[in-house]
Amino acid sequence: QVHLVESGGDLVQAGGSLRLSCVASEGLFVFNAMGWYRQAPGNQRELVARITYGGRRRYIDSVKGRFTISRDGTKNTVYLQMDSLKPEDTAVYFCGAWGTTTPVASEADYWGQGTQVTVSS
């Protein structure tokens, strides 16, 4: 059973920064990809950023240049560095991992419990 545990969510002012962490119970090498989703009240869940086994990164347009996804295999951890935060970034952020599929084909196979990010104006 794979477990993903997120942390780092907080209340921050617009223009500020946060770093989210996702610790996996398995080594990152077992996953085809890992990523960060977010869901705001009344909105659909969206895949904000992802990183493949080979290190390829993808972002949605609204966060390009502000968010950076990275990983540390020695700590089984994936990070989301969020800079220049905006009120519209407010959401619950979820870590996801793809074991048998890929982000292109489907949603994540494994999920964390989520961490709240609130950006005040």
Side-chain angles (χ1 to χ4, degrees):
Q1 184 75 13
V2 173
H3 295 285
L4 304 174
V5 180
E6 304 101 330
S7 62
D10 206 345
L11 170 63
V12 63
Q13 287 190 330
S17 297
L18 284 175
R19 188 177 78 160
L20 306 183
S21 300
C22 171
V23 181
S25 60
E26 308 286 337
L28 299 186
F29 62 88
V30 306
F31 303 117
N32 291 328
M34 295 192 73
W36 288 93
Y37 289 84
R38 70 183 179 188
Q39 186 166 23
N43 289 3
Q44 286 190 328
R45 183 170 55 200
E46 58 182 352
L47 179 57
V48 174
R50 64 185 192 255
I51 183 168
T52 67
Y53 176 86
R56 180 173 294 181
R57 295 168 172 82
R58 290 290 185 270
Y59 303 92
I60 57 173
D61 287 345
S62 61
V63 307
K64 284 181 180 177
R66 300 189 299 119
F67 289 12
T68 303
I69 188 169
S70 62
R71 62 189 177 189
D72 184 341
T74 66
K75 298 180 180 179
N76 291 354
T77 301
V78 174
Y79 302 99
L80 186 67
Q81 177 66 41
M82 305 186 294
D83 299 319
S84 302
L85 282 161
K86 303 176 181 181
E88 51 263 43
D89 295 318
T90 295
V92 179
Y93 284 71
F94 299 89
C95 179
W98 287 261
T100 60
T101 60
T102 67
V104 174
S106 73
E107 292 201 315
D109 296 315
Y110 308 104
W111 297 86
Q113 80 288 351
T115 186
Q116 176 70 46
V117 172
T118 303
V119 184
S120 64
S121 58

